[in-house]
Amino acid sequence: MNAVQTSPAAAHTMPLSHLRRTSRPPRPAQRIVLTGFMGSGKSTIGPLLAAQLGWHFIDLDHEIERRTSLSVPELFAQRGEAAFRKEETAALAALLGSANTVIALGGGAPEILTNRLLLEQTPATVVVHLAAPFATLAARCTQQAADPAATSRPLFADPIAAQARFASRQPLYRRLAHHSIETANLSPAQAATAIAAAVAARLARA
Ligand code: S3P
């Protein structure tokens, strides 16, 4: 051990500069959590990032659907947004136990204080915000809504209300994230590579 060995009595009289803090070894990231508004590419970029790292990928919305046996639109229609948020928190708490995993959140998860605390307090968890202007996100959501295979988004049904949610969520996304990546001019593969590089650089600095 490099830390200065000293008795408690001697430590009392020594200047603090003589004591070296024993720093904890950096803890490698065990999970990367992708956050951002609807259409930011979390569910597209997430699997590419997981493949690059040789990790698992889990989409929080899919986990909610698995746990409730309802699709997200069915859950909103049958039980309302508040019930959806409770299921979302329960699913997130369960998923944060997984290692070597990329997790894509739903766009509204950071609105809930419990979710933010879970993300902040789970060790070895790196949160990455996928950022893009509202116009870009709206165009992507509109395009995806035309695809019958894509899950529809109950909260994008009213674009004016969606824009208000976008504005109110920006500070939450930014405060929660360790990294923010602008995705408007990146392909999903480029975004995945940029995230992997940012997380690796973070670990190298730790
Ligand atoms: C929501 C975003 C959706 C889904 C649900 C609510 C939101 O996920 O969780 O419809 O509040 O922004 P995506 O961000 O993956 O579309």
PDB file of all heavy atoms in Angstrom, residues 36-38 42-43 61 72 76 84-85 88 105-108 153-155 169, ligand 1:
ATOM      1  N   GLY A  36     -32.958  10.082 -23.906  1.00  0.00           N
ATOM      2  CA  GLY A  36     -33.227  11.095 -24.925  1.00  0.00           C
ATOM      3  C   GLY A  36     -34.687  11.029 -25.325  1.00  0.00           C
ATOM      4  O   GLY A  36     -35.393  10.067 -24.997  1.00  0.00           O
ATOM      5  N   PHE A  37     -35.116  12.061 -26.038  1.00  0.00           N
ATOM      6  CA  PHE A  37     -36.534  12.167 -26.388  1.00  0.00           C
ATOM      7  C   PHE A  37     -36.921  11.082 -27.405  1.00  0.00           C
ATOM      8  O   PHE A  37     -36.056  10.437 -28.007  1.00  0.00           O
ATOM      9  CB  PHE A  37     -36.798  13.566 -26.969  1.00  0.00           C
ATOM     10  CG  PHE A  37     -38.234  13.982 -26.920  1.00  0.00           C
ATOM     11  CD1 PHE A  37     -38.848  14.235 -25.707  1.00  0.00           C
ATOM     12  CD2 PHE A  37     -38.985  14.111 -28.078  1.00  0.00           C
ATOM     13  CE1 PHE A  37     -40.188  14.616 -25.647  1.00  0.00           C
ATOM     14  CE2 PHE A  37     -40.307  14.504 -28.034  1.00  0.00           C
ATOM     15  CZ  PHE A  37     -40.918  14.751 -26.817  1.00  0.00           C
ATOM     16  N   MET A  38     -38.238  10.917 -27.566  1.00  0.00           N
ATOM     17  CA  MET A  38     -38.753   9.994 -28.585  1.00  0.00           C
ATOM     18  C   MET A  38     -38.105  10.337 -29.932  1.00  0.00           C
ATOM     19  O   MET A  38     -38.020  11.509 -30.288  1.00  0.00           O
ATOM     20  CB  MET A  38     -40.279  10.150 -28.712  1.00  0.00           C
ATOM     21  CG  MET A  38     -41.052   9.669 -27.506  1.00  0.00           C
ATOM     22  SD  MET A  38     -42.841   9.986 -27.637  1.00  0.00           S
ATOM     23  CE  MET A  38     -42.969  11.641 -26.963  1.00  0.00           C
ATOM     24  N   LYS A  42     -32.498   5.795 -29.529  1.00  0.00           N
ATOM     25  CA  LYS A  42     -32.041   4.918 -28.438  1.00  0.00           C
ATOM     26  C   LYS A  42     -32.157   3.438 -28.818  1.00  0.00           C
ATOM     27  O   LYS A  42     -31.234   2.656 -28.603  1.00  0.00           O
ATOM     28  CB  LYS A  42     -32.863   5.185 -27.151  1.00  0.00           C
ATOM     29  CG  LYS A  42     -32.862   6.646 -26.717  1.00  0.00           C
ATOM     30  CD  LYS A  42     -33.786   6.894 -25.541  1.00  0.00           C
ATOM     31  CE  LYS A  42     -35.250   6.659 -25.803  1.00  0.00           C
ATOM     32  NZ  LYS A  42     -35.984   7.709 -26.492  1.00  0.00           N
ATOM     33  N   SER A  43     -33.313   3.074 -29.405  1.00  0.00           N
ATOM     34  CA  SER A  43     -33.558   1.657 -29.710  1.00  0.00           C
ATOM     35  C   SER A  43     -32.846   1.195 -30.974  1.00  0.00           C
ATOM     36  O   SER A  43     -32.737  -0.011 -31.215  1.00  0.00           O
ATOM     37  CB  SER A  43     -35.074   1.404 -29.876  1.00  0.00           C
ATOM     38  OG  SER A  43     -35.757   1.955 -28.788  1.00  0.00           O
ATOM     39  N   ASP A  61     -38.898  -0.239 -22.762  1.00  0.00           N
ATOM     40  CA  ASP A  61     -40.305  -0.387 -23.178  1.00  0.00           C
ATOM     41  C   ASP A  61     -40.654  -1.864 -23.418  1.00  0.00           C
ATOM     42  O   ASP A  61     -41.736  -2.323 -23.051  1.00  0.00           O
ATOM     43  CB  ASP A  61     -40.588   0.412 -24.458  1.00  0.00           C
ATOM     44  CG  ASP A  61     -40.774   1.906 -24.180  1.00  0.00           C
ATOM     45  OD1 ASP A  61     -41.033   2.270 -23.027  1.00  0.00           O
ATOM     46  OD2 ASP A  61     -40.653   2.698 -25.136  1.00  0.00           O
ATOM     47  N   VAL A  72     -47.109  -0.971 -25.160  1.00  0.00           N
ATOM     48  CA  VAL A  72     -47.103   0.367 -24.537  1.00  0.00           C
ATOM     49  C   VAL A  72     -48.401   1.117 -24.857  1.00  0.00           C
ATOM     50  O   VAL A  72     -49.046   1.663 -23.942  1.00  0.00           O
ATOM     51  CB  VAL A  72     -45.827   1.161 -24.945  1.00  0.00           C
ATOM     52  CG1 VAL A  72     -45.937   2.618 -24.528  1.00  0.00           C
ATOM     53  CG2 VAL A  72     -44.589   0.508 -24.330  1.00  0.00           C
ATOM     54  N   PHE A  76     -51.091   2.450 -21.979  1.00  0.00           N
ATOM     55  CA  PHE A  76     -51.573   3.833 -21.857  1.00  0.00           C
ATOM     56  C   PHE A  76     -53.102   3.866 -21.967  1.00  0.00           C
ATOM     57  O   PHE A  76     -53.772   4.557 -21.189  1.00  0.00           O
ATOM     58  CB  PHE A  76     -50.972   4.718 -22.964  1.00  0.00           C
ATOM     59  CG  PHE A  76     -49.684   5.399 -22.573  1.00  0.00           C
ATOM     60  CD1 PHE A  76     -48.476   4.703 -22.594  1.00  0.00           C
ATOM     61  CD2 PHE A  76     -49.662   6.729 -22.190  1.00  0.00           C
ATOM     62  CE1 PHE A  76     -47.286   5.320 -22.243  1.00  0.00           C
ATOM     63  CE2 PHE A  76     -48.475   7.367 -21.841  1.00  0.00           C
ATOM     64  CZ  PHE A  76     -47.286   6.656 -21.871  1.00  0.00           C
ATOM     65  N   PHE A  84     -48.460   3.440 -16.372  1.00  0.00           N
ATOM     66  CA  PHE A  84     -47.292   3.148 -17.217  1.00  0.00           C
ATOM     67  C   PHE A  84     -46.010   3.552 -16.493  1.00  0.00           C
ATOM     68  O   PHE A  84     -45.030   2.808 -16.476  1.00  0.00           O
ATOM     69  CB  PHE A  84     -47.398   3.901 -18.553  1.00  0.00           C
ATOM     70  CG  PHE A  84     -46.133   3.845 -19.365  1.00  0.00           C
ATOM     71  CD1 PHE A  84     -45.829   2.732 -20.149  1.00  0.00           C
ATOM     72  CD2 PHE A  84     -45.202   4.886 -19.320  1.00  0.00           C
ATOM     73  CE1 PHE A  84     -44.644   2.663 -20.866  1.00  0.00           C
ATOM     74  CE2 PHE A  84     -44.008   4.822 -20.029  1.00  0.00           C
ATOM     75  CZ  PHE A  84     -43.731   3.707 -20.814  1.00  0.00           C
ATOM     76  N   ARG A  85     -46.006   4.734 -15.845  1.00  0.00           N
ATOM     77  CA  ARG A  85     -44.790   5.222 -15.171  1.00  0.00           C
ATOM     78  C   ARG A  85     -44.402   4.301 -14.006  1.00  0.00           C
ATOM     79  O   ARG A  85     -43.218   4.085 -13.752  1.00  0.00           O
ATOM     80  CB  ARG A  85     -44.980   6.662 -14.678  1.00  0.00           C
ATOM     81  CG  ARG A  85     -45.213   7.694 -15.772  1.00  0.00           C
ATOM     82  CD  ARG A  85     -44.009   7.871 -16.674  1.00  0.00           C
ATOM     83  NE  ARG A  85     -44.353   8.677 -17.865  1.00  0.00           N
ATOM     84  CZ  ARG A  85     -43.681   8.637 -19.002  1.00  0.00           C
ATOM     85  NH1 ARG A  85     -42.640   7.847 -19.164  1.00  0.00           N
ATOM     86  NH2 ARG A  85     -44.053   9.376 -20.023  1.00  0.00           N
ATOM     87  N   GLU A  88     -42.815   1.370 -15.440  1.00  0.00           N
ATOM     88  CA  GLU A  88     -41.510   1.778 -15.981  1.00  0.00           C
ATOM     89  C   GLU A  88     -40.457   1.789 -14.863  1.00  0.00           C
ATOM     90  O   GLU A  88     -39.344   1.278 -15.039  1.00  0.00           O
ATOM     91  CB  GLU A  88     -41.666   3.168 -16.607  1.00  0.00           C
ATOM     92  CG  GLU A  88     -40.444   3.724 -17.286  1.00  0.00           C
ATOM     93  CD  GLU A  88     -40.751   5.058 -17.990  1.00  0.00           C
ATOM     94  OE1 GLU A  88     -41.299   5.986 -17.349  1.00  0.00           O
ATOM     95  OE2 GLU A  88     -40.438   5.178 -19.164  1.00  0.00           O
ATOM     96  N   LEU A 105     -33.702   3.629 -22.478  1.00  0.00           N
ATOM     97  CA  LEU A 105     -34.869   4.063 -21.698  1.00  0.00           C
ATOM     98  C   LEU A 105     -35.962   4.539 -22.639  1.00  0.00           C
ATOM     99  O   LEU A 105     -35.692   4.883 -23.784  1.00  0.00           O
ATOM    100  CB  LEU A 105     -34.492   5.235 -20.791  1.00  0.00           C
ATOM    101  CG  LEU A 105     -33.421   5.034 -19.729  1.00  0.00           C
ATOM    102  CD1 LEU A 105     -33.329   6.274 -18.852  1.00  0.00           C
ATOM    103  CD2 LEU A 105     -33.714   3.811 -18.881  1.00  0.00           C
ATOM    104  N   GLY A 106     -37.193   4.640 -22.148  1.00  0.00           N
ATOM    105  CA  GLY A 106     -38.223   5.393 -22.859  1.00  0.00           C
ATOM    106  C   GLY A 106     -37.941   6.868 -22.635  1.00  0.00           C
ATOM    107  O   GLY A 106     -37.307   7.253 -21.628  1.00  0.00           O
ATOM    108  N   GLY A 107     -38.409   7.707 -23.551  1.00  0.00           N
ATOM    109  CA  GLY A 107     -38.071   9.129 -23.497  1.00  0.00           C
ATOM    110  C   GLY A 107     -38.519   9.834 -22.227  1.00  0.00           C
ATOM    111  O   GLY A 107     -37.926  10.836 -21.823  1.00  0.00           O
ATOM    112  N   GLY A 108     -39.548   9.303 -21.548  1.00  0.00           N
ATOM    113  CA  GLY A 108     -40.078  10.000 -20.378  1.00  0.00           C
ATOM    114  C   GLY A 108     -39.497   9.518 -19.051  1.00  0.00           C
ATOM    115  O   GLY A 108     -39.780  10.105 -18.001  1.00  0.00           O
ATOM    116  N   ARG A 153     -46.512   5.684 -30.615  1.00  0.00           N
ATOM    117  CA  ARG A 153     -46.151   6.466 -29.427  1.00  0.00           C
ATOM    118  C   ARG A 153     -47.347   7.299 -28.999  1.00  0.00           C
ATOM    119  O   ARG A 153     -47.622   8.346 -29.589  1.00  0.00           O
ATOM    120  CB  ARG A 153     -44.971   7.373 -29.747  1.00  0.00           C
ATOM    121  CG  ARG A 153     -43.689   6.619 -30.085  1.00  0.00           C
ATOM    122  CD  ARG A 153     -42.588   7.627 -30.369  1.00  0.00           C
ATOM    123  NE  ARG A 153     -41.272   7.022 -30.346  1.00  0.00           N
ATOM    124  CZ  ARG A 153     -40.544   6.769 -31.435  1.00  0.00           C
ATOM    125  NH1 ARG A 153     -41.015   7.051 -32.626  1.00  0.00           N
ATOM    126  NH2 ARG A 153     -39.342   6.228 -31.309  1.00  0.00           N
ATOM    127  N   PRO A 154     -48.023   6.887 -27.917  1.00  0.00           N
ATOM    128  CA  PRO A 154     -49.222   7.630 -27.489  1.00  0.00           C
ATOM    129  C   PRO A 154     -48.924   9.103 -27.232  1.00  0.00           C
ATOM    130  O   PRO A 154     -49.753   9.961 -27.533  1.00  0.00           O
ATOM    131  CB  PRO A 154     -49.637   6.930 -26.186  1.00  0.00           C
ATOM    132  CG  PRO A 154     -48.929   5.620 -26.176  1.00  0.00           C
ATOM    133  CD  PRO A 154     -47.732   5.734 -27.067  1.00  0.00           C
ATOM    134  N   LEU A 155     -47.704   9.407 -26.729  1.00  0.00           N
ATOM    135  CA  LEU A 155     -47.415  10.796 -26.363  1.00  0.00           C
ATOM    136  C   LEU A 155     -46.928  11.617 -27.547  1.00  0.00           C
ATOM    137  O   LEU A 155     -46.629  12.796 -27.394  1.00  0.00           O
ATOM    138  CB  LEU A 155     -46.400  10.849 -25.215  1.00  0.00           C
ATOM    139  CG  LEU A 155     -46.905  10.240 -23.909  1.00  0.00           C
ATOM    140  CD1 LEU A 155     -45.880  10.432 -22.798  1.00  0.00           C
ATOM    141  CD2 LEU A 155     -48.245  10.854 -23.491  1.00  0.00           C
ATOM    142  N   ARG A 169     -38.198  18.566 -20.669  1.00  0.00           N
ATOM    143  CA  ARG A 169     -37.286  17.453 -20.335  1.00  0.00           C
ATOM    144  C   ARG A 169     -35.816  17.771 -20.586  1.00  0.00           C
ATOM    145  O   ARG A 169     -34.942  17.089 -20.049  1.00  0.00           O
ATOM    146  CB  ARG A 169     -37.658  16.208 -21.153  1.00  0.00           C
ATOM    147  CG  ARG A 169     -38.933  15.550 -20.696  1.00  0.00           C
ATOM    148  CD  ARG A 169     -39.279  14.394 -21.607  1.00  0.00           C
ATOM    149  NE  ARG A 169     -40.550  13.774 -21.253  1.00  0.00           N
ATOM    150  CZ  ARG A 169     -41.130  12.838 -21.976  1.00  0.00           C
ATOM    151  NH1 ARG A 169     -40.547  12.415 -23.083  1.00  0.00           N
ATOM    152  NH2 ARG A 169     -42.276  12.308 -21.598  1.00  0.00           N
TER     153      ARG A 169
HETATM  154  C1  S3P B   1     -42.480   7.906 -23.886  1.00  0.00           C
HETATM  155  C2  S3P B   1     -41.582   7.409 -24.795  1.00  0.00           C
HETATM  156  C3  S3P B   1     -41.717   6.060 -25.357  1.00  0.00           C
HETATM  157  C4  S3P B   1     -42.489   5.158 -24.400  1.00  0.00           C
HETATM  158  C5  S3P B   1     -43.794   5.773 -24.031  1.00  0.00           C
HETATM  159  C6  S3P B   1     -43.619   7.126 -23.332  1.00  0.00           C
HETATM  160  C7  S3P B   1     -42.280   9.307 -23.391  1.00  0.00           C
HETATM  161  O1  S3P B   1     -40.435   5.493 -25.594  1.00  0.00           O
HETATM  162  O2  S3P B   1     -41.742   4.890 -23.249  1.00  0.00           O
HETATM  163  O3  S3P B   1     -44.567   5.897 -25.189  1.00  0.00           O
HETATM  164  O4  S3P B   1     -42.838   9.655 -22.340  1.00  0.00           O
HETATM  165  O5  S3P B   1     -41.512  10.053 -24.041  1.00  0.00           O
HETATM  166  P1  S3P B   1     -39.481   5.996 -26.802  1.00  0.00           P
HETATM  167  O6  S3P B   1     -38.708   7.184 -26.306  1.00  0.00           O
HETATM  168  O7  S3P B   1     -38.572   4.822 -27.021  1.00  0.00           O
HETATM  169  O8  S3P B   1     -40.317   6.296 -27.981  1.00  0.00           O
END
